[in-house]
Amino acid sequence: MEDTVILYPSPGMGHLVPMVELGKLILTHNPSFSIIILITTAPFDTGSTSSYIKRIATATPSVHFPHLPTGNISPPFTTSSDNFIELAFELPRLYNSNLHHALQTMISQKSRPKASIIDMFCNSSFEVFTSLDIPTYYFFTSNACILSAILSLPKTHQILSEKNKDPNTSIEFPGVPPIPTPDLPMPFFDTEGLAYKSFFGTAINMAKSAGILTNTCHAFEPRAVKAISDGLCTPNLLTPSVYCIGPIVANSGEAHEHECLRWLDSQPSRSVVFLCFGSMGLFKAEQLTEMAIGLEKSGHRFLWVVRNPPADGETKSILAEPDLDVLLPNGFVDRTRGRGLVVKKWAPQVAVLSHDSVGGFVTHCGWNSILEAVSAEVPMVAWPLYSEQRFNRVLLVEEVKVALALEELESGFVSADELEKRVRELMDSVSGEGVRERVREMRDCAKAARGDGGSSRVALAELVESWNS
């Protein structure tokens, strides 16, 4: 009977793609394995996952993508940016019965899987896998610093409850620079909320798991990795084994003939600032106007991905093609033609960052975007928008030092003058050159970690080998 490893990702592209790439990496260490990646259907936009899955299944026959049946699954609440995390945790729970049945069928038809690896948001499935005696690991698709914070929740719960409403204090997690309370992940502000309780429960189960894989490398975050491994995050719990196996970066089937790549071909080396804010990064019309003014005043070349502003929660308006004549200042596109290009809705981010003409990246601080930038040796301006991105900004600016921080108003608004200032600083100044040099060092660390004898490659090899014993 073939040896099987089961991977269970959260359905969003930012979680599915790293999990699939992990499956492919496992095969490089043991090609005889069969990788089964369980797919769930989400009641929210997950990006073009179907075409991506089809492409991977065709190219890598040892990776299989069975879809768990939906049956009568219906989330008890609607999707919005306010409850997205709750829904991400809730969806796998609704699938648990179908998951249990599918696993029992696999075991009866083949043999017991060597291991299962679940996404953090699939925490509710932990007991399903372990009840069938399947060794279960977590794949944490973000960084070790935020992993330290989550694992520390049972330890820091009382402190969070007392201090998270005080904007003038900071919270300390093991191996992590002090996090100002306004920069905590949003669920940490409501310790009675469903999202926080879901993270708390995940911390408990992670400590009981067979181990945690995380999409980082030791050289990026040595203090946080050591703190986790030394048990400082889980003093009253088991200390989980931590496998730093990143950075894992994939292009997810991007279109390399996109118009923006042809435009970049005509630009000088390292001269273009790229502005892109993830699949969920949206700005109000007033902010888009301010961004345009700042970019024009900066005098620098730019490639800017623009999406429609949110309009009373209407998804259709967000997904529609933006009207640049309405959204941007009168004459902006014409005045900046040649040195600037505005792309509607989407650009092939990995291909753009890897292009020789790109010399800076204004980013929302999503972890996948950060890894893509570091791997391409592109320094950043950090403009976090949601989720754990403000936390990530602290890591980028204070710990790893590969980004400059934008200063926001209390409302989160960023002025044209501030954007102009940071773009100029990144591209022209001594401090910008320091960030550029640092990101070059981190790129070399990432390359070394993934190479022969590198720490990430060795960690994954040791894990795969343990499944053969």
Side-chain angles (χ1 to χ4, degrees):
M1 305 293 278
E2 63 184 5
D3 291 330
T4 301
V5 177
I6 297 175
L7 309 185
Y8 192 24
S10 185
M13 283 293 281
H15 290 255
L16 174 66
V17 172
M19 188 73 89
V20 172
E21 293 301 315
L22 170 59
K24 290 161 61 179
L25 282 175
I26 291 171
L27 289 175
T28 66
H29 292 281
N30 192 329
S32 68
F33 279 168
S34 175
I35 305 295
I36 294 178
I37 301 179
L38 300 174
I39 301 299
T40 55
T41 302
F44 50 83
D45 180 25
T46 58
S48 55
T49 57
S50 58
S51 59
Y52 169 73
I53 289 171
K54 184 177 180 180
R55 180 172 66 86
I56 297 297
T58 301
T60 315
S62 294
V63 178
H64 309 278
F65 295 90
H67 285 68
L68 290 177
T70 56
N72 296 320
I73 290 174
S74 178
F77 40 74
T78 57
T79 308
S80 73
S81 58
D82 294 332
N83 71 355
F84 183 81
I85 291 177
E86 288 95 330
L87 182 56
F89 274 113
E90 176 70 4
L91 188 67
R93 189 189 68 77
L94 298 175
Y95 271 95
N96 270 351
S97 177
N98 294 344
L99 171 65
H100 190 272
H101 178 74
L103 292 175
Q104 285 183 315
T105 302
M106 287 182 206
I107 291 171
S108 63
Q109 291 178 348
K110 298 179 180 180
S111 61
R112 193 171 305 281
K114 288 285 188 179
S116 63
I117 304 173
I118 65 177
D119 185 271
M120 172 190 70
F121 285 125
C122 297
N123 176 60
S124 61
S125 70
F126 179 76
E127 292 184 3
V128 177
F129 284 100
T130 54
S131 70
L132 296 171
D133 295 325
I134 302 172
T136 302
Y137 300 77
Y138 281 80
F139 180 31
F140 190 71
T141 55
S142 193
N143 54 73
C145 283
I146 193 70
L147 176 59
S148 169
I150 292 172
L151 285 172
S152 298
L153 287 181
K155 169 186 172 182
T156 60
H157 173 75
Q158 192 59 40
I159 297 173
L160 280 171
S161 299
E162 296 171 356
K163 292 187 175 182
N164 61 12
K165 299 295 192 298
D166 183 355
N168 299 313
T169 190
S170 296
I171 305 293
E172 296 193 13
F173 302 101
V176 180
I179 305 296
T181 51
D183 291 337
L184 290 170
M186 189 59 67
F188 287 25
F189 291 111
D190 180 11
T191 54
E192 297 300 318
L194 178 58
Y196 176 85
K197 291 179 179 178
S198 297
F199 279 117
F200 193 101
T202 300
I204 299 295
N205 282 345
M206 279 183 166
K208 295 188 294 185
S209 71
I212 305 170
L213 293 73
T214 183
N215 192 7
T216 190
C217 65
H218 188 275
F220 277 11
E221 309 169 84
R223 293 200 307 125
V225 173
K226 187 176 189 303
I228 297 169
S229 299
D230 288 350
L232 300 183
C233 304
T234 52
N236 299 315
L237 300 169
L238 297 171
T239 299
S241 298
V242 179
Y243 302 89
C244 297
I245 59 167
I248 295 174
V249 174
N251 65 22
S252 66
E254 295 167 333
H256 287 273
E257 296 303 314
H258 194 281
E259 60 163 330
C260 70
L261 298 176
R262 295 191 294 272
W263 180 81
L264 285 171
D265 289 340
S266 67
Q267 305 303 313
S269 176
R270 301 296 183 186
S271 67
V272 176
V273 177
F274 179 45
L275 299 92
C276 190
F277 299 90
S279 59
M280 295 174 63
L282 302 173
F283 295 100
K284 293 181 179 179
E286 297 84 355
Q287 182 67 84
L288 291 174
T289 297
E290 203 78 3
M291 293 165 75
I293 295 170
L295 288 173
E296 185 172 0
K297 289 172 64 180
S298 77
H300 279 281
R301 301 172 189 272
F302 64 87
L303 172 60
W304 180 19
V305 180
V306 172
R307 305 177 74 202
N308 269 327
D312 300 323
E314 294 180 9
T315 305
K316 289 182 180 179
S317 68
I318 295 171
L319 298 178
E321 190 162 287
D323 186 338
L324 300 182
D325 291 334
V326 172
L327 289 175
L328 303 182
N330 186 36
F332 169 79
V333 173
D334 289 333
R335 289 194 303 274
T336 58
R337 194 178 305 279
R339 74 170 177 89
L341 179 66
V342 180
V343 175
K344 299 178 181 180
K345 295 175 59 175
W346 179 86
Q349 182 164 293
V350 172
V352 168
L353 289 170
S354 301
H355 199 286
D356 178 68
S357 295
V358 175
F361 182 27
V362 182
T363 174
H364 65 310
C365 302
W367 187 242
N368 287 329
S369 293
I370 291 167
L371 293 181
E372 289 161 8
V374 170
S375 296
E377 197 186 323
V378 178
M380 288 162 273
V381 172
W383 188 342
L385 299 177
Y386 54 88
S387 191
E388 83 287 7
Q389 292 162 11
R390 293 177 68 91
F391 188 110
N392 287 348
R393 177 175 61 184
V394 177
L395 169 63
L396 285 183
V397 175
E398 304 295 336
E399 186 81 353
V400 192
K401 303 184 189 302
V402 293
L404 302 174
L406 280 168
E407 292 187 14
E408 309 154 287
L409 300 179
E410 191 171 334
S411 64
F413 190 81
V414 173
S415 70
D417 288 345
E418 175 64 13
L419 180 58
E420 175 195 2
K421 177 182 177 182
R422 294 308 171 197
V423 167
R424 286 180 180 271
E425 182 182 2
L426 185 69
M427 303 299 284
D428 297 334
S429 73
V430 173
S431 58
E433 182 55 39
V435 171
R436 195 174 305 278
E437 177 60 32
R438 179 63 175 167
V439 82
R440 191 176 299 124
E441 295 172 4
M442 289 297 98
R443 187 280 311 266
D444 292 343
C445 288
K447 189 175 181 180
R450 296 190 304 253
D452 288 341
S455 60
S456 294
R457 190 161 182 171
V458 168
L460 186 58
E462 290 176 348
L463 176 62
V464 174
E465 182 60 31
S466 71
W467 297 337
N468 293 325
S469 58

